[in-house]
Amino acid sequence: MKIVSRLAAAAAIVIAAAGTAGAKDWTEVRIGTEGAYAPFNYFDSNNELQGFDIEIAKALCDEMKVKCTFVAQDWDGIIPALLANKYDAIVASMSITEERKKTVDFTNKYYNTPAQFITNKEGGITDTSPAALAGKSLGAQSATTHATYLEDMYKDSDVKLYPSQDEANLDLANGRLDGILADSVVLYSWLNETEDGKCCKEVGEPIRNVQYFGEGAGIALRKDDPELKEKFNAAIAAIIANGTYKKINDKYFPFDVY
């Protein structure tokens, strides 16, 4: 019996040691983002990443006491690149949805804003129901929750998808689209802070459909990195509690996005 007990104890020690050896220390975290989704993430005139996502990520890394580096990645390939180990986390305004949870894990939300339609001021559109927009050309960024919503709910409209939000906005400004569906804050910034945005206006009520737009924006992670998820969740709670989150929020928006 003693021999069996000693063998069992030895096996437990080996298993525990193996588990410890496989754990990551997370002194450095590589963060993937898009760089084409102002004001959340974008490149400035010096080709440096800026925006709400970037500053939140840096604040979280400071709170976790880890070194962070950023990797820019086109939106269409942003999850595959995470799974291919190109980086460790995605901080890019990614909505937490049940469909995405099949592939990646998410932290708690770090902001939550609704979807919104915008149209040209001269277009005469006041109703954004599927029936009212039948036959109209509607744009969205491809591989987004907004694109899925348009394709599912506006089957009688001409839905056009774009590699980036900027390209969709430009086509609306130039009269090649009747309307756009996107994040309300992204559109608010474009409407109020750019010359092109003066063409257009918000139409209809904000859309908060959890089935499509999820529970808010979270940080996407590989499913086999639970320790990193715990670190990020603790850091999100900490920067909200200590006022860092509010300082960043107020720098970008005249309203609370949490």
Side-chain angles (χ1 to χ4, degrees), residues 15-164:
I15 291 170
T20 302
K24 300 176 184 177
D25 58 10
W26 295 115
T27 57
E28 182 172 349
V29 177
R30 300 165 299 161
I31 294 176
T33 194
E34 184 185 11
Y37 200 61
F40 290 101
N41 57 79
Y42 60 93
F43 284 97
D44 65 14
S45 58
N46 296 319
N47 203 35
E48 294 181 358
L49 282 166
Q50 305 288 351
F52 180 80
D53 287 335
I54 307 305
E55 293 202 34
I56 289 292
K58 289 178 178 178
L60 295 175
C61 291
D62 288 345
E63 185 66 33
M64 295 189 295
K65 296 179 171 56
V66 299
K67 176 185 177 183
C68 278
T69 54
F70 290 88
V71 179
Q73 169 67 49
D74 288 345
W75 182 257
D76 286 355
I78 205 163
I79 288 179
L82 171 69
L83 300 179
N85 203 40
K86 186 175 179 180
Y87 34 77
D88 307 304
I90 297 172
V91 185
S93 294
M94 182 171 284
S95 297
I96 304 167
T97 66
E98 293 303 317
E99 186 64 28
R100 286 172 178 154
K101 285 180 183 178
K102 296 175 183 177
T103 306
V104 297
D105 206 353
F106 281 99
T107 64
N108 298 334
K109 71 169 185 176
Y110 65 94
Y111 80 86
N112 189 11
T113 52
Q116 180 70 54
F117 274 105
I118 61 171
T119 65
N120 196 289
K121 290 177 179 177
E122 307 302 323
I125 294 174
T126 57
D127 184 348
T128 59
S129 67
L133 295 181
K136 301 292 187 182
S137 57
L138 305 177
Q141 184 177 5
S142 63
T144 63
T145 54
H146 307 99
T148 302
Y149 185 80
L150 286 183
E151 290 178 319
D152 287 356
M153 304 297 291
Y154 290 79
K155 294 185 182 297
D156 293 328
S157 300
D158 179 17
V159 176
K160 299 180 180 180
L161 304 183
Y162 296 81
S164 72

Side-chain angles (χ1 to χ4, degrees), residues 226-248:
E227 303 93 345
L228 186 56
K229 176 181 176 179
E230 291 176 8
K231 286 179 178 292
F232 270 120
N233 278 336
I236 290 169
I239 68 168
I240 290 171
N242 66 25
T244 301
Y245 184 96
K246 186 177 187 305
K247 289 180 181 177
I248 298 171

